[in-house]
Amino acid sequence: MKKHSLHCDMDSTKKIGNTDDDDGFLLRMGLNDNKAGMQGLDKEKINKIIMEATKGSRFYENELKKDQQVNQRIEKMMQLKDKITSQQLLKAQLQVDKHALDLEQSRDLSCTIVHIDMDAFYASVEMRDNPELKEKPIAVGSMSMLVREILAEYDPSFMPIGLDEAYLNITEYLEERQNWPEDKRSYSIKRENIAKNGKQDVTATDELKSNEAAHSVSPILFEDNISITEEQLVATSQLCNEEQRDKELLLNSVVFGTSAEEVVKEIRFRIEQKTGLTASAGIAPNMMLAKMCSDQNKPNGQYRISPDRQSVMDFIKDLPIRKVPGIGKVTEKMLKALGILTCTELYQQRALLSLLFSETSWHNFLDVSLGLGSTELEKYGERKSMSIERTFSEINTAEEQYSLCQELCRDLAQDLQKEGLKGKTVTLKLKNVSFEVKTRASTVLAAVSTEEEIFVLAKDMLRTEIDGVAPLPLRLRLMGVRVSGFLNEEEKKYQQRSIINFLKPGKQTDTALLQSGKSSHEHFTKASETTHRESFFDKKRAARQESNQELLINKPANKQNLHDIKSLINPVEETNDTIGSKNLNECQSLTCPVCFEEQRSSNLEALNRHIDKCLNGILEKDNAEISASENSWENSHHFSPDSKKKMSEICQKNKMNKSVDMIESTKVADSFTSISTEAFPKVVANTGKEREHSLLSETASNTYLEQNFSSKITSLENTEQVEKPEYTQETEPSHSSGAIEDNVLVCPVCNTEQKTTDLSLFNRHVDICLNKGIIQELTEQIVCPIKSQVGSMGRGHQYMNPTTGIKRPGLTTPQSTSKKAKQSNSKQTIETFLK
DNA sequence: GCGGATCAC
DNA sequence: TATGGTGATCCGC
């Protein structure tokens, strides 16, 4: 959306102050009109408002500071420039020109690339001035429809960018179209949109576009060669009888030609008919040029660069560098300092640039100045990160900050789970009331995706920041949380397999027993009772398990395991996991994961109903217990500030003790396998201190984990990809466990001594205890998800939904023409020349 | 890998 | 109105 422009891209650098500093500052704020689209607004007025509002404000101060930093960067650059000798420059010139020659040879003019850009900004202006228009179904989601309904006809693999842009490669389509008869290229003009944009309905947009938008179909589309004239339209729209007018208009049809221009006009025509919104377009031999072209005659216009070198260079020649995608305020200013204002100058200074900028940068500059760009509309890359951030009026109490942080984690976790993503890095972003931005990142060995997992890391970083300024408060105006470092498909499958194998009935494990419902229930009850007996061992094991799990299941414990179990219960939920589905299909008879009774019906819905019933039963039963041991942050709203403060203190104390605990824990023998007890902290924790501990055990700093995990790997079946360290021989639960000392078998989950010495019986008990925890998690968390989301992400999901936020994949690459060009290995930094 | 910065939309 | 949110990338460390 170009709404942004309303605030920033304003033109009046000339009107407010003319000193270099002012100019620089205004440039920093984006107050220049080199980017298209702002002609016609009352710039002076807006600028005045901005200047008055910002003068002396923290925002303004920060802008000044940032500007100073840019100035320093420029200063450094200039110093570097002064050191360059003419000989060095000459050498650079030769190398750059060699590279340029390669580029030139790989120039590809054979493609016809189209860039479509909805004139959404003008629509928003229109809506602003005519609030009643908001009711009409235009604008919102318009591009997503065009995604599907129109553009694909011209290029099945067209590339939508955000909500209001798209690239198309219509090369093939054009060829085909040459032989098309007229009727295949004609479109009727519908009435609805005429009424909407008809003359009676003059809007702000119309004023902005001056005389252009008075009719249903923008006249600019119908210059010469189309079988309808402005006069015709006006005439028909002025008819009194509505029905008659309908008829007339329906009779009117438009025939488009076979040239690229005609095709693009047709696209724009259809877009306007469909949405009532106009679009601008650019036609060129590559993406970069096409994008710049679509800017040329905006709004509601189009421009084409003929596919010959001269035309390209003519277009590039006087183009201000700021118009180049990828060159923003800062780069513009730096180049300006070098006397580079246009693309021609960009080319002329290529040798110098190769010495002053990184290879990536000057390669890009060279591409730009030669008018080169990508001709391949890259497929949607996979998402690399997902984040959420919020701006608010000052928040300075730790309690509120933690609470907000958790809220963000919650929302983010939801989004992540919608896309089935788990990431290994969590980044906390903070902006204080002085507009200073800070990011703090933490990478763990196993991917996270749930609210709790993310929060545990984010909270830790937040605490560090709060402590860092104590006793002063952190005065925040923005907080954000990001998850990145997503698992690839293989990694996902691996962790899925691990959990499935563990749960698979009848495997080496004794989980088969879990299906004997009644006894399970008895065990559950006992187990939950015994868990209240806190023990030293619990702590050690919890800490240790947690780090084991991180490595082996590739998750930092907690509820993540449950998540996978959820997908077992409902196979449809994660259809892209073939293994999961397959395994489920194998178990044709459906078994309730709660009571473990086999269900007669193979109907999923019926099963779900049954599960709900089961869950409710258990929920009631265990309610008291759960609420007593609830995660303190989760319920932070229910606590008084004082009690929260205490908890926070406890947190910190605990953290200090933690490493000691955990180191000791490695000495404790442990035959416990497959699922971390941390998956259900409520079972092991019931005092405030222990609650915090179970939380904190995960927050161990990266370094801690990295330093210690290698000595703490226990085991897990099917860990083929994991290096197997010292405990490998205990891999299979059914094996005798040398780790259990003195022949006394103590369940590591409920911590009760087991009478039996039979290992398989003992293992059964452990398994049951484990499931008890899982059930608790289920009752607490996933009552709904079991039913929901069925089929929400089909296997063939194309990842095309623009609302998911995938934006401009590979933006920096489009300008590099081809892989050939990229190979060029002319490495020349200033260092090599100064040697 | 982290953190700051730049850029786009 | 009072100065946004999301995602990607680069660079220096």
Side-chain angles (χ1 to χ4, degrees):
Chain A
M1 289 289 205
K2 293 290 179 298
K3 211 173 123 194
H4 182 62
S5 314
L6 181 62
H7 302 293
C8 292
D9 292 347
M10 272 154 267
D11 163 29
S12 64
T13 52
K14 297 149 206 159
K15 289 171 186 166
I16 303 181
N18 261 328
T19 70
D20 281 354
D21 276 354
D22 276 355
D23 192 41
F25 174 63
L26 289 171
L27 278 175
R28 263 213 57 76
M29 292 192 66
L31 302 180
N32 71 82
D33 66 344
N34 279 340
K35 294 282 184 196
M38 289 304 296
Q39 300 78 14
L41 282 187
D42 190 344
K43 302 152 197 165
E44 193 182 1
K45 188 178 162 194
I46 296 173
N47 241 334
K48 204 175 152 195
I49 293 172
I50 291 182
M51 290 306 287
E52 278 173 10
T54 57
K55 212 165 226 174
S57 70
R58 295 175 196 275
F59 175 75
Y60 179 81
E61 296 299 323
N62 191 255
E63 287 300 307
L64 282 183
K65 206 178 87 186
K66 284 196 286 183
D67 195 50
Q68 295 277 359
Q69 283 175 5
V70 173
N71 285 338
Q72 283 179 12
R73 250 179 93 181
I74 290 175
E75 217 170 292
K76 260 190 181 174
M77 180 183 71
M78 298 307 275
Q79 284 172 11
L80 209 58
K81 179 184 170 237
D82 288 342
K83 286 185 189 168
I84 296 172
T85 67
S86 54
Q87 207 181 348
Q88 287 166 345
L89 202 61
L90 208 63
K91 193 177 167 190
Q93 187 78 52
L94 289 173
Q95 300 222 13
V96 174
D97 282 352
K98 187 168 171 285
H99 181 63
L101 197 65
D102 288 346
L103 290 179
E104 192 57 62
Q105 277 168 1
S106 68
R107 186 191 289 272
D108 179 0
L109 295 165
S110 66
C111 288
T112 308
I113 309 290
V114 177
H115 179 249
I116 308 263
D117 194 339
M118 299 296 295
D119 300 323
F121 168 67
Y122 292 91
S124 74
V125 172
E126 184 174 354
M127 295 214 287
R128 185 198 61 189
D129 293 347
N130 298 280
E132 69 274 15
L133 285 181
K134 283 179 185 166
E135 305 303 321
K136 297 187 181 178
I138 55 167
V140 180
S142 58
M143 201 57 173
S144 65
M145 281 164 25
L146 305 175
V147 160
R148 264 175 266 125
E149 294 177 25
I150 297 177
L151 300 185
E153 285 181 36
Y154 302 86
D155 178 5
S157 51
F158 75 99
M159 180 170 143
I161 304 285
L163 288 169
D164 62 354
E165 283 185 43
Y167 286 98
L168 291 81
N169 184 341
I170 60 166
T171 315
E172 281 181 34
Y173 173 87
L174 269 176
E175 268 182 53
E176 216 178 291
R177 181 170 166 121
Q178 298 311 309
N179 310 315
W180 282 14
E182 232 181 54
D183 65 316
K184 236 180 151 181
R185 297 179 268 113
S186 69
Y187 290 86
S188 62
I189 300 168
K190 292 177 197 159
R191 194 202 141 246
E192 313 153 35
N193 290 315
I194 301 215
K196 197 184 301 177
N197 277 353
K199 216 166 188 171
Q200 311 91 319
D201 233 58
V202 177
T203 64
T205 306
D206 299 327
E207 284 167 19
L208 278 174
K209 289 190 266 181
S210 65
N211 57 356
E212 280 181 7
H215 311 297
S216 72
V217 184
S218 310
I220 197 166
L221 283 170
F222 305 98
E223 279 145 9
D224 311 314
N225 42 5
I226 292 172
S227 64
I228 184 171
T229 65
E230 259 185 60
E231 288 72 25
Q232 275 179 296
L233 274 174
V234 174
T236 45
S237 66
Q238 282 171 347
L239 290 176
C240 305
N241 186 316
E242 258 194 51
E243 280 182 20
Q244 201 179 346
R245 189 171 67 182
D246 281 1
K247 264 186 187 174
E248 292 282 344
L249 286 171
L250 282 172
L251 285 177
N252 282 317
S253 69
V254 199
V255 180
F256 294 92
T258 56
S259 68
E261 276 103 333
E262 286 296 307
V263 169
V264 173
K265 278 180 189 172
E266 179 181 299
I267 293 173
R268 292 173 49 226
F269 167 80
R270 294 179 67 186
I271 289 176
E272 189 176 357
Q273 289 280 297
K274 187 105 202 162
T275 67
L277 290 178
T278 62
S280 299
I283 311 161
N286 65 53
M287 290 170 75
M288 181 197 71
L289 292 173
K291 177 156 178 58
M292 297 194 296
C293 283
S294 68
D295 238 27
Q296 197 75 8
N297 284 328
K298 184 174 289 215
N300 199 15
Q302 65 183 64
Y303 186 85
R304 178 180 188 213
I305 298 177
S306 308
D308 60 88
R309 188 180 184 281
Q310 194 54 49
S311 302
V312 170
M313 297 315 281
D314 285 347
F315 180 83
I316 285 291
K317 201 168 58 135
D318 297 320
L319 203 74
I321 47 171
R322 186 64 167 87
K323 293 245 185 189
V324 176
I327 295 184
K329 285 175 291 184
V330 175
T331 313
E332 181 192 27
K333 193 175 178 184
M334 294 185 73
L335 292 174
K336 209 177 163 189
L338 296 170
I340 298 170
L341 299 169
T342 67
C343 289
T344 301
E345 289 153 346
L346 198 63
Y347 182 72
Q348 288 166 348
Q349 299 291 341
R350 59 195 181 283
L352 179 64
L353 292 174
S354 77
L355 296 175
L356 295 177
F357 287 81
S358 71
E359 189 176 270
T360 321
S361 293
W362 74 257
H363 276 196
N364 183 40
F365 292 150
L366 197 58
D367 282 342
V368 167
S369 60
L370 290 170
L372 299 169
S374 171
T375 55
E376 278 173 41
L377 279 55
E378 287 149 47
K379 286 267 156 66
Y380 261 110
E382 290 196 354
R383 177 197 277 284
K384 305 235 169 46
S385 73
M386 186 184 273
S387 67
I388 184 169
E389 65 187 63
R390 257 171 232 165
T391 297
F392 36 79
S393 52
E394 176 169 346
I395 291 183
N396 51 35
T397 65
E399 287 79 17
E400 280 182 289
Q401 286 162 356
Y402 283 123
S403 166
L404 177 73
C405 180
Q406 185 174 23
E407 210 174 287
L408 291 171
C409 292
R410 184 179 309 143
D411 292 350
L412 181 58
Q414 270 185 16
D415 291 345
L416 283 169
Q417 280 158 32
K418 264 182 222 160
E419 293 190 29
L421 295 170
K422 308 172 199 300
K424 283 179 283 203
T425 301
V426 172
T427 306
L428 178 74
K429 177 177 174 180
L430 302 174
K431 191 193 279 181
N432 65 19
V433 289
S434 301
F435 291 86
E436 291 162 332
V437 178
K438 234 183 215 179
T439 59
R440 293 291 177 263
S442 168
T443 301
V444 289
L445 293 165
V448 298
S449 70
T450 65
E451 171 191 342
E452 290 80 6
E453 293 162 346
I454 300 168
F455 182 51
V456 148
L457 297 171
K459 182 183 60 154
D460 207 38
M461 293 184 277
L462 177 58
R463 181 176 38 238
T464 304
E465 294 309 309
I466 291 175
D467 291 351
V469 295
L472 295 173
L474 259 191
R475 305 181 59 192
L476 300 180
R477 77 178 332 271
L478 173 146
M479 190 187 293
V481 181
R482 171 182 303 264
V483 169
S484 55
F486 295 132
L487 297 181
N488 58 36
E489 284 308 309
E490 199 159 317
E491 288 169 312
K492 274 189 206 166
K493 279 179 189 166
Y494 165 64
Q495 75 185 23
Q496 191 76 10
R497 209 179 321 151
S498 303
I499 194 83
I500 286 168
N501 281 329
F502 169 72
L503 287 174
K504 203 171 173 181
K507 228 183 159 269
Q508 310 111 304
T509 61
D510 294 313
T511 46
L513 178 80
L514 296 177
Q515 296 188 347
S516 66
K518 277 186 184 173
S519 59
S520 300
H521 252 294
E522 283 168 19
H523 278 289
F524 290 167
T525 316
K526 276 184 194 166
S528 68
E529 283 163 6
T530 49
T531 51
H532 291 282
R533 268 199 274 146
E534 267 306 323
S535 78
F536 182 73
F537 179 71
D538 279 323
K539 278 190 273 179
K540 312 298 180 215
R541 193 207 53 249
R544 177 172 171 181
Q545 275 309 128
E546 170 264 321
S547 54
N548 291 341
Q549 269 331 108
E550 290 210 2
L551 186 71
L552 295 175
I553 299 198
N554 214 357
K555 293 178 181 184
N558 247 355
K559 302 184 178 172
Q560 199 56 59
N561 299 331
L562 257 298
H563 204 59
D564 285 339
I565 292 164
K566 277 186 272 175
S567 67
L568 273 178
I569 294 168
N570 185 355
V572 198
E573 188 178 301
E574 289 190 21
T575 46
N576 57 351
D577 181 39
T578 48
I579 294 177
S581 319
K582 202 176 151 196
N583 266 319
L584 247 138
N585 291 337
E586 277 168 18
C587 320
Q588 277 299 344
S589 62
L590 297 169
T591 301
C592 169
V594 182
C595 69
F596 295 104
E597 272 168 10
E598 202 169 300
Q599 300 303 299
R600 272 162 294 176
S601 168
S602 61
N603 179 328
L604 269 181
E605 260 188 57
L607 176 69
N608 280 332
R609 272 197 300 275
H610 169 86
I611 292 172
D612 278 355
K613 228 172 145 184
C614 271
L615 289 174
N616 285 333
I618 292 191
L619 186 61
E620 276 175 26
K621 199 171 148 207
D622 287 354
N623 234 356
E625 188 184 331
I626 291 172
S627 62
S629 55
E630 199 64 79
N631 175 329
S632 60
W633 289 109
E634 223 161 90
N635 287 327
S636 57
H637 315 293
H638 306 314
F639 294 119
S640 70
D642 271 349
S643 62
K644 277 192 275 180
K645 211 168 204 167
K646 275 178 199 163
M647 287 182 194
S648 163
E649 285 164 16
I650 292 168
C651 268
Q652 289 174 29
K653 279 183 200 163
N654 248 305
K655 193 179 180 185
M656 283 161 58
N657 296 331
K658 180 182 53 182
S659 49
V660 181
D661 282 355
M662 292 183 77
I663 290 164
E664 278 182 28
S665 76
T666 60
K667 298 177 197 158
V668 178
D670 193 350
S671 66
F672 189 56
T673 60
S674 300
I675 286 195
S676 161
T677 56
E678 286 295 314
F680 32 92
K682 289 138 203 113
V683 178
V684 291
N686 68 343
T687 69
K689 191 170 175 180
E690 286 309 310
R691 284 198 298 272
E692 286 303 337
H693 182 93
S694 63
L695 262 181
L696 283 168
S697 53
E698 285 183 57
T699 75
S701 67
N702 318 334
T703 41
Y704 175 79
L705 286 177
E706 277 163 24
Q707 283 162 9
N708 291 281
F709 77 86
S710 59
S711 66
K712 289 200 273 174
I713 298 169
T714 50
S715 59
L716 181 67
E717 51 186 31
N718 288 303
T719 54
E720 63 267 11
Q721 293 173 29
V722 179
E723 281 184 54
K724 297 199 177 180
E726 52 267 22
Y727 299 108
T728 313
Q729 71 275 15
E730 298 162 26
T731 295
E732 308 220 347
S734 53
H735 282 180
S736 77
S737 172
I740 297 177
E741 290 164 336
D742 299 326
N743 291 328
V744 179
L745 297 174
V746 177
C747 171
V749 180
C750 67
N751 199 36
T752 55
E753 241 178 68
Q754 298 304 298
K755 282 166 195 154
T756 180
T757 54
D758 183 331
L759 276 178
S760 66
L761 281 178
F762 173 72
N763 278 329
R764 280 184 206 175
H765 168 84
V766 172
D767 283 339
I768 290 167
C769 273
L770 283 172
N771 269 283
K772 164 66 181 169
I774 292 167
I775 301 301
Q776 280 193 325
E777 291 289 338
L778 283 167
T779 58
E780 182 198 11
Q781 259 223 325
I782 59 158
V783 177
C784 287
I786 288 177
K787 277 185 178 174
S788 67
Q789 291 192 17
V790 173
S792 64
M793 278 264 266
R795 196 179 301 262
H797 184 59
Q798 257 234 312
Y799 224 90
M800 290 226 310
N801 182 359
T803 60
T804 55
I806 303 272
K807 290 175 188 168
R808 43 182 280 273
L811 177 103
T812 53
T813 47
Q815 275 140 35
S816 55
T817 34
S818 67
K819 273 154 198 168
K820 247 189 260 171
K822 280 179 193 165
Q823 279 176 4
S824 165
N825 59 350
S826 42
K827 277 188 200 166
Q828 20 184 343
T829 60
I830 187 71
E831 284 83 8
T832 58
F833 284 91
L834 294 177
K835 265 179 193 169

